[in-house]
Amino acid sequence: MAGYVFAQKGAPAFYVSDRGGVCDTVYNKLDVASSYPGGVNEMYYFFNRTLDAKYANLLHPNITSKRIMVKLLVSDAGKIVDRKVLLSISKDYDDAVLQAIEKFPPLVPGKVKGANVCSYYIVALNFLK
């Protein structure tokens, strides 16, 4: 499923990025994780509408052997400022998913002590073929 935060035991609550920019501090430990507006089901609905039909028709809600995982860096305003494919099926699938992610609405940013913060959001999509 998408939106899981993979915090390692003993990981710091945040780290300071050497890249600077919008997200110079990225939080690993969140009170509220960043999310797609409306939740995971709404995100899958978005992909069904947005992906090219040859990919959208192969989307599957359960974990399959064909899985793409994309790590998104979400700003405190909900803007996606960076993306990285963690698990790939093929360049064609990856490109189709990344193009769809470009059309995402602003995400719901993560929160620490009630304040919006930069954090990661994992998008995991399963395909049948």
Side-chain angles (χ1 to χ4, degrees):
M1 298 294 283
Y4 284 37
V5 177
F6 299 104
Q8 297 175 352
K9 188 174 184 178
F14 65 90
Y15 71 92
V16 178
S17 171
D18 56 0
R19 294 181 324 183
V22 175
C23 287
D24 56 352
T25 302
V26 181
Y27 285 78
N28 295 316
K29 295 183 180 176
L30 303 163
D31 298 331
V32 179
S34 53
S35 61
Y36 187 88
V40 175
N41 289 338
E42 192 64 33
M43 183 184 70
Y44 267 91
Y45 182 65
F46 169 86
F47 278 111
N48 275 314
R49 292 186 328 263
T50 308
L51 280 174
D52 182 295
K54 72 179 182 179
Y55 300 110
N57 292 335
L58 298 174
L59 273 174
H60 197 272
N62 297 326
I63 294 175
T64 65
S65 61
K66 301 281 187 185
R67 182 173 226 209
I68 293 176
M69 292 181 77
V70 180
K71 183 178 180 180
L72 306 176
L73 178 56
V74 181
S75 75
D76 57 356
K79 182 178 178 192
I80 298 169
V81 295
D82 196 17
R83 63 201 48 77
K84 179 180 179 183
V85 176
L86 299 176
L87 186 61
S88 172
I89 294 175
S90 73
K91 183 169 176 14
D92 291 341
Y93 276 82
D94 297 350
D95 289 347
V97 170
L98 290 172
Q99 285 176 351
I101 287 172
E102 289 288 328
K103 299 173 185 171
F104 264 18
L107 299 179
V108 178
K111 291 186 181 288
V112 172
K113 297 181 182 173
N116 293 351
V117 297
C118 291
S119 61
Y120 289 108
Y121 180 71
I122 304 293
V123 173
L125 295 174
N126 304 295
F127 294 88
L128 291 174
K129 294 181 182 178

